[in-house]
Amino acid sequence: MEQLTRVRPVNQLLKTQCIVLLIMVACVFWLYGKDVAIALCFGGMISVVNTLLLKWHLLRTVKKAGANPAKNLGGIYRCIAERWVFTLAMFMVGFAVFEFAAIPLLLGFVAIQVVLLFGNMKQA
């Protein structure tokens, strides 16, 4: 039960990110068309999957490290490194493989990151 309490804010944040992303993609699709909406959605999904990766690391660290500060710190560093590598790899895929326009891709990512930044202000 304690793990659910720790994960509850992350779950709420994921819901908020997905709702904001859906609204943004619908509005952009309506205003600018399919290509821009897909690029925006891809950028936003990079941020959502980053949050999912954060949740997975949180659960994994709680299970493996427990109350050991050294192991917890190692889990934090690993989480940071994996999130950076994932983000950079997905931007490379978006730009090089799918050839998405830069502005919508970056705006989708930044907008959902802003939700991550300000989405959990009640916890502070």
Side-chain angles (χ1 to χ4, degrees), residues 79-121:
C79 177
I80 291 168
E82 285 182 14
R83 290 177 73 203
W84 270 95
V85 168
F86 170 78
T87 301
L88 291 174
M90 287 299 102
F91 273 118
M92 286 176 18
V93 167
F95 289 133
V97 176
F98 295 126
E99 297 179 354
F100 289 135
I103 298 297
L105 179 67
L106 292 171
L107 283 177
F109 177 76
V110 169
I112 303 305
Q113 283 295 108
V114 168
V115 172
L116 176 68
L117 183 64
F118 294 113
N120 221 3
M121 296 300 284

Side-chain angles (χ1 to χ4, degrees), residues 10-91:
V10 179
N11 288 339
Q12 184 62 38
L13 184 61
L14 280 166
K15 288 177 191 174
T16 306
Q17 283 181 319
C18 289
I19 290 168
V20 169
L21 182 60
L22 285 173
I23 292 170
M24 285 176 40
V25 168
C27 291
V28 167
F29 180 75
W30 182 61
L31 292 172
Y32 298 105
K34 181 179 81 169
D35 293 336
V36 177
I38 290 172
L40 183 98
C41 184
F42 188 83
M45 286 306 295
I46 293 171
S47 186
V48 170
V49 173
N50 249 326
T51 306
L52 285 169
L53 192 58
L54 178 71
K55 178 182 173 181
W56 179 73
H57 273 284
L58 175 68
L59 292 172
R60 186 172 169 259
T61 303
V62 166
K63 196 180 288 186
K64 285 191 173 195
N68 186 339
K71 287 184 180 179
N72 278 323
L73 191 57
I76 291 169
Y77 285 136
R78 181 176 175 172
C79 177
I80 291 168
E82 285 182 14
R83 290 177 73 203
W84 270 95
V85 168
F86 170 78
T87 301
L88 291 174
M90 287 299 102
F91 273 118

